[in-house]
Amino acid sequence: MVDGVLRALNADPQLHLLLVGPPSVAATVLDALTEADRRRCRERTALKVVAMADAPLRAMRADTTIRSSLVALAAGEAAAVVSAGSSGATVTAAVLELGRLDGVRRPALAASIPAIADPVLLLDVGASVETNVATLSSHALLGADHARRLGLHKPRVGLLSVGREPGKGDRARRAAESALAELPIDFVGLVEGDDVCLGDRADVIVTDGFTGNVLLKGIEGAYALARGVSERSEGAPQGAPGGSVLARGVSERSEGAPQGAPENTAPAHSGLRRVGVPGGAPRAAMLLGVPGIVVVCHGAADADDLAAAIALAAVTVRARR
Amino acid sequence: MVDGVLRALNADPQLHLLLVGPPSVAATVLDALTEADRRRCRERTALKVVAMADAPLRAMRADTTIRSSLVALAAGEAAAVVSAGSSGATVTAAVLELGRLDGVRRPALAASIPAIADPVLLLDVGASVETNVATLSSHALLGADHARRLGLHKPRVGLLSVGREPGKGDRARRAAESALAELPIDFVGLVEGDDVCLGDRADVIVTDGFTGNVLLKGIEGAYALARGVSERSEGAPQGAPGGSVLARGVSERSEGAPQGAPENTAPAHSGLRRVGVPGGAPRAAMLLGVPGIVVVCHGAADADDLAAAIALAAVTVRARR
C-alpha cells in the first residue's frame, strides 16, 4: 500500500492524496516523501478494516477505512476513492454514501481488459452476483455511457453468452438479448468469452457479476500460466534465449502505466488502456451507477496495481471535469 | 478434418477409425493413406450436417453425421465418438442413443485445462446452461469419478465461485456449497477463476455450463493475446530474440500430444495432460454422464485439435478396458 502510494505520487506531479486509514500507515508514507511531496498529502484517520471474510454490511460502520473514505468523497474532500479492500464492502459503502444514479438498481464494477484489438470494458465483474434482464440492461447502458465518456463515439455493446448465434445462452441471456436490442446503444448481439481478449467485436461486454468475476480471474490465471510456460522455456535446454520476453513485454507495458504522461494522448481512453498488471489482466475496476468516481482494486493488488488504480482514478477525474 | 485424421493415424499405429460423413470426405482421407493405413479405416455414410446455428434437436435426425456416429457407438461398431460439430447437438444425440448413467439428469462436458501445478478438470463447459444444486452435485460426482479413472487417487473437488471464503457466490453456489460437502468426494470448498490455470487448490472444478463455457473461451482468448504480445515483442526494437518462444513452447507441447507414445506414462492421466492446442487452452471436452466415450471438439478446431481429441478418445478407451 505504501509503495503503491509513493509510485502514484512520483508518476503524477499533479496528484493530491487523502490517506484514509491508521495514522501509523500514513506516517510510513509521509516519512518516505520529500517535503514538497508531503504537501500533496492529507490524512483522515480510520482504524477499522473490513476483512475479505467479513460481511459487506460491516462497511456500514462509520469507523471503517472504506466507509470513512466514501464519507470524504460525498463531502467533497476527495474527487475519487481508490479501495484495495473487499469489493463487496466498497460497493455497499458507496451506495450508502453516494446513492445510485437514476434508474440504477444495481451498480456494476467495470474492468478494462487489454485486448488484441481495442481494450474491452467488461461489466459487471462482481458488484452483484444474481442477475435478471433489468440488471443486464442497466449494465449495458452504464457501460456504453462510460465508454462514451472515455472518448468512444459509438461504443459497440455485446452480451456475453456461450455462442454468437442469436438465441444461444441461458434463459436470462435469451430474454436480455431482445431487451438490449431495444436500448439506445449500438448492440452487436451475443459475444463469447474469447471476445474479451480479442476485442474486435465489442467495446463493451455485458454480463452478470458472477460470470464476469470468474472470467476476469480466469484470464488472470491464464496469464500467470503463460508467464510460467515462458519462464520454463527459458530454463529448458531447448528454450531460445529471451524465453521470458512475454513476461517482460507485458510487465513493461504495465510498469509504464502509472508513469506515462496522460497529456500525450486522449487522457481518458489512454486511462482505459493503461490499467494492467504484469500478465495483462487488469486489477482495478470502476464502479458504475453511483454519482462519484470509485475504483476498486483486486484484493491481491501489489504496489503497481495500486499505483495503476490511482492513475485510473485521476485520469477519470480529469476526463469528467 | 482430413489433416486431423491423417495426423491421428500417423501418431497412433494401433488406432482404427470409422469415418462418418459424406463419401467424398472419406475418399479424400483414404486417397492420402498408404495401403496399410487404409486398412485401419472404415466408412459409414451420413450426408446431413448439424450446423452451429441449427437447433440441437436437428441432431435427432438419423441422417446427420453426429446421430449416425452415435448409432455406431451404441451398436458397438466404434469404441468412442469424436465430434467437431455443434456441442449441443452432440450432447442431444448422445443422450438419445446412449441414455444417461444412473442418477444423472444432465450430462456434463469436462475439459482438462493445463495448469501451473497439475491439470484441472473443469466441468460443465457447455452441455447445459441452466443450473441448480442437483446439477452441480451431479457434476461434482461425475468429475471426481472421471478423475479417479484417470488415475488420481483422491481428487480434490472445488466449486467455482467469486471468492474462496465460505458463503461467497450466488444463491445456487451457496446452496451447492453445503450439498457438495455431504458428497463422498474430497470437497475442498470454493475456488476462483484463476484456480483453473493455477491448479494447486483443486483437481476437479465444478460449475454450470454457462460459466464454464465462458471461462474456457476466456482462457483461450487470453492465450491468443499472450501470443500476440509475444509476437509484437519480437518485432519491436526492444524485443529480445526469441520473442515468440511462448507460442513455440506451448505449440511444441501440443504438437507432441498425438505423437507421444501413451505407453511411456500412465496412459489415462497423460491423456489428461496432453490435450491442448497452441496457446494452452484445451479444444476438446469429454462428455460425462453417458455410458460411452464421447469427445467434443471446439467448433473452431483445426487439424491439431482434432488429432488431439482423437488421441484423448483412444487413451480413454484403453484406460477403461
Side-chain angles (χ1 to χ4, degrees):
Chain A
M1 185 69 76
V2 172
D3 284 349
V5 165
L6 297 180
R7 284 177 208 196
L9 285 168
N10 280 336
D12 182 348
Q14 307 302 317
L15 182 72
H16 286 68
L17 289 178
L18 176 65
L19 307 169
V20 183
S24 58
V25 178
T28 315
V29 172
L30 297 172
D31 285 353
L33 292 175
T34 63
E35 180 64 34
D37 281 345
R38 214 171 289 151
R39 269 183 244 118
R40 295 198 277 146
C41 293
R42 284 170 299 136
E43 290 179 66
R44 182 182 172 100
T45 297
L47 296 174
K48 297 283 167 55
V49 172
V50 184
M52 289 296 168
D54 288 338
L57 287 180
R58 185 177 156 86
M60 293 182 69
R61 288 179 49 167
D63 58 355
T64 60
T65 54
I66 180 59
R67 179 80 187 276
S68 179
S69 64
L70 281 150
V71 167
L73 179 63
E77 292 171 38
V81 161
V82 175
S83 166
S86 152
S87 58
T90 306
V91 173
T92 302
V95 169
L96 206 66
E97 285 301 327
L98 307 174
R100 286 170 289 206
L101 295 179
D102 275 354
V104 175
R105 265 184 57 84
R106 297 193 177 278
L109 282 167
S112 173
I113 319 262
I116 291 179
D118 293 313
V120 168
L121 192 73
L122 175 69
L123 77 167
D124 177 19
V125 298
S128 59
V129 289
E130 308 291 347
T131 199
N132 54 41
V133 176
T135 302
L136 292 170
S137 297
S138 166
H139 291 352
L141 291 169
L142 287 172
D145 179 62
H146 186 66
R148 275 190 294 264
R149 284 162 178 257
L150 293 178
L152 285 182
H153 173 56
K154 205 185 165 201
R156 298 160 300 165
V157 180
L159 176 64
L160 189 62
S161 194
V162 297
R164 291 171 183 165
E165 301 83 6
K168 292 264 179 184
D170 57 2
R171 278 189 293 270
R173 257 37 72 152
R174 289 198 301 272
E177 192 184 355
S178 36
L180 265 61
E182 301 294 316
L183 296 178
I185 54 172
D186 182 14
F187 180 54
V188 297
L190 301 182
V191 299
E192 294 185 280
D194 53 348
D195 286 312
V196 170
C197 288
L198 301 179
D200 52 0
R201 298 194 70 243
D203 305 299
V204 175
I205 292 185
V206 173
T207 191
D208 62 278
F210 185 88
T211 308
N213 186 280
V214 165
L215 175 58
L216 183 62
K217 289 174 181 159
I219 290 170
E220 191 183 319
Y223 288 128
L225 183 134
R227 287 197 304 277
V229 169
S230 177
E231 281 152 20
R232 275 204 301 278
S233 314
E234 193 172 32
Q238 75 276 22
S244 68
V245 73
L246 169 79
R248 283 207 306 278
V250 179
S251 176
E252 277 156 19
R253 289 197 334 172
S254 150
E255 280 161 22
Q259 288 135 22
E263 291 75 17
N264 290 345
T265 45
H269 197 64
S270 74
L272 198 150
R273 283 174 191 276
R274 280 160 191 279
V275 172
V277 290
R283 292 198 168 191
M286 179 78 66
L287 184 63
L288 304 182
V290 296
I293 298 169
V294 179
V295 173
V296 178
C297 273
H298 194 290
D302 63 15
D304 282 331
D305 301 330
L306 192 71
I310 293 171
L312 173 64
V315 145
T316 309
V317 169
R318 288 168 183 141
R320 292 199 185 171
R321 269 182 183 154
Chain B
M1 185 69 74
V2 172
D3 284 349
V5 165
L6 297 179
R7 285 176 207 196
L9 285 168
N10 280 335
D12 182 350
Q14 307 303 319
L15 182 73
H16 286 69
L17 289 177
L18 176 65
L19 308 169
V20 183
S24 58
V25 179
T28 316
V29 172
L30 297 172
D31 286 353
L33 292 175
T34 63
E35 181 64 32
D37 282 344
R38 214 171 290 153
R39 270 183 243 119
R40 294 197 278 146
C41 294
R42 284 169 301 136
E43 290 180 68
R44 182 180 172 101
T45 296
L47 297 173
K48 297 283 166 57
V49 173
V50 184
M52 288 296 169
D54 287 338
L57 286 181
R58 185 178 156 88
M60 294 181 68
R61 288 179 49 167
D63 58 355
T64 61
T65 53
I66 180 57
R67 179 80 186 275
S68 179
S69 64
L70 280 150
V71 168
L73 179 62
E77 292 171 40
V81 161
V82 175
S83 166
S86 153
S87 58
T90 306
V91 174
T92 302
V95 169
L96 206 68
E97 284 302 327
L98 307 173
R100 286 170 290 206
L101 294 180
D102 275 354
V104 174
R105 265 184 59 84
R106 297 192 178 281
L109 282 166
S112 172
I113 319 263
I116 291 178
D118 292 314
V120 168
L121 192 72
L122 175 70
L123 76 165
D124 175 21
V125 297
S128 59
V129 289
E130 309 290 348
T131 197
N132 54 40
V133 176
T135 302
L136 291 170
S137 297
S138 165
H139 291 354
L141 290 169
L142 288 172
D145 179 63
H146 187 64
R148 276 189 293 265
R149 286 163 178 255
L150 293 177
L152 285 182
H153 173 56
K154 205 185 166 201
R156 298 161 300 165
V157 180
L159 176 64
L160 189 62
S161 194
V162 297
R164 290 170 184 168
E165 300 82 8
K168 293 263 179 184
D170 58 2
R171 278 188 293 271
R173 256 40 70 152
R174 288 198 302 273
E177 194 185 353
S178 36
L180 265 61
E182 302 294 316
L183 296 178
I185 55 173
D186 182 15
F187 179 55
V188 296
L190 302 182
V191 298
E192 296 185 278
D194 53 348
D195 286 313
V196 170
C197 288
L198 300 180
D200 52 0
R201 298 193 72 244
D203 305 301
V204 176
I205 293 184
V206 173
T207 191
D208 62 278
F210 185 88
T211 308
N213 186 280
V214 165
L215 176 58
L216 182 63
K217 288 175 182 158
I219 290 170
E220 190 182 319
Y223 288 128
L225 182 134
R227 286 196 303 277
V229 169
S230 176
E231 280 153 20
R232 275 204 301 278
S233 316
E234 194 172 33
Q238 75 276 24
S244 67
V245 72
L246 169 80
R248 284 208 305 279
V250 179
S251 175
E252 277 157 17
R253 291 196 334 170
S254 151
E255 279 162 21
Q259 287 137 24
E263 292 74 18
N264 290 345
T265 45
H269 197 64
S270 74
L272 198 149
R273 285 176 190 273
R274 280 159 190 279
V275 171
V277 291
R283 291 198 168 192
M286 178 78 65
L287 184 63
L288 303 182
V290 297
I293 297 169
V294 179
V295 174
V296 178
C297 274
H298 193 292
D302 63 15
D304 281 331
D305 301 329
L306 191 72
I310 293 171
L312 173 65
V315 146
T316 309
V317 168
R318 287 165 185 144
R320 292 198 184 172
R321 268 184 187 154

